[in-house]
Amino acid sequence: MGAGVAGNGVRGLTRPQTHRLPVKFFRLSQLRRLRGCEQVAAVCYRLRSTGIEFLLVRTNSGHWTFPKGNAEPGLTYAQAAALEAFEEAGVHGRIEEASFAQYVRRKRGGRRSSATRPVEGSAEKEMTIQAHLCEVSRLDPPQESGRNPTWFSAEKAKRRLCEDRVPDFGAELARVVDRAVSRIRRLRNTTIRQRMSRNKMHC
């Protein structure tokens, strides 16, 4: 009986073949691009006697926006949003783990013929942003320069978010503010009811 021939050409050996998968390494920037369709935003607010105020920051292009960025590998969305709020606006506070709203940003790639008109045929990238409420307790100087964190009333925040933007996207950002106001009021009412209930129990 003839001996078997292994893949390495040595007679008499029947060692099984092993296939090693190639090892692939990724840079952090590549991982961010892989998850580029998911971003997070911190909708930062504080309560004043005059009402609710929202903290907005400047983008590199000069627009007002919420502190936001890519969902970081290894962090929950809430943790990533809190990190963006700290880096871009110097925020310290409490952030809700669950997202209260989401909105979609459509960004065209390639060259632009003007500030508002993309070149025909340029690809459009769609990103979903998960928004988390963050109650600010104090502010430090932001780590990122040029952000100019500023407080606005709800109505002024909506106007700033709509400035120099496509109407549909501006309206979507304004709706996030409206939903935030509704959420904050519900939280306040719940807190007031809980305090009243505790006071009745102590009477």
Side-chain angles (χ1 to χ4, degrees):
M1 184 179 294
V5 180
N8 58 7
V10 180
R11 295 182 64 83
L13 297 179
T14 57
R15 188 178 301 164
Q17 294 291 309
T18 58
H19 299 282
R20 291 186 178 181
L21 295 174
V23 179
K24 199 167 186 178
F25 295 93
F26 292 96
R27 294 181 183 274
L28 181 58
S29 58
Q30 290 175 300
L31 288 174
R32 284 174 173 165
R33 280 197 295 273
L34 288 174
R35 298 188 64 178
C37 59
E38 288 286 356
Q39 289 195 327
V40 293
V43 180
C44 303
Y45 73 95
R46 67 182 181 184
L47 301 175
R48 286 292 182 263
S49 58
T50 53
I52 305 167
E53 293 183 343
F54 291 93
L55 188 68
L56 302 181
V57 296
R58 291 278 195 182
T59 66
N60 293 331
S61 58
H63 295 106
W64 289 104
T65 189
F66 309 114
K68 69 176 182 62
N70 292 319
E72 297 285 354
L75 298 180
T76 67
Y77 283 178
Q79 289 170 337
L83 181 61
E84 294 296 334
F86 175 72
E87 291 179 345
E88 295 187 3
V91 166
H92 294 265
R94 298 182 305 170
I95 195 161
E96 286 192 335
E97 184 63 35
S99 168
F100 77 97
Q102 69 178 28
Y103 59 98
V104 175
R105 180 189 177 206
R106 293 172 180 85
K107 185 178 181 181
R108 288 191 177 273
R111 296 181 298 109
R112 289 177 176 265
S113 58
S114 68
T116 57
R117 293 176 55 192
V119 175
E120 187 176 351
S122 59
E124 186 178 74
K125 185 178 182 180
E126 186 173 283
M127 287 179 282
T128 301
I129 296 97
Q130 303 290 339
H132 294 257
L133 268 183
C134 179
E135 185 176 9
V136 178
S137 56
R138 67 183 176 91
L139 293 177
D140 282 342
Q143 294 187 351
E144 296 185 12
S145 61
R147 293 297 183 176
N148 191 27
T150 304
W151 291 104
F152 297 100
S153 67
E155 290 305 314
K156 284 186 178 180
K158 289 193 290 185
R159 288 200 295 269
R160 294 292 182 267
L161 290 166
C162 290
E163 286 176 353
D164 300 321
R165 281 194 167 99
V166 176
D168 288 349
F169 185 47
E172 199 163 4
L173 292 174
R175 281 193 292 271
V176 173
V177 174
D178 288 335
R179 293 192 63 179
V181 169
S182 297
R183 172 73 178 156
I184 294 164
R185 286 175 177 167
R186 285 198 301 271
L187 290 172
R188 288 182 67 188
N189 291 337
T190 300
T191 301
I192 291 171
R193 285 195 298 269
Q194 289 173 345
R195 287 176 181 172
M196 291 176 64
S197 178
R198 285 196 299 266
N199 290 337
K200 288 180 180 178
M201 291 176 63
H202 290 301
C203 290

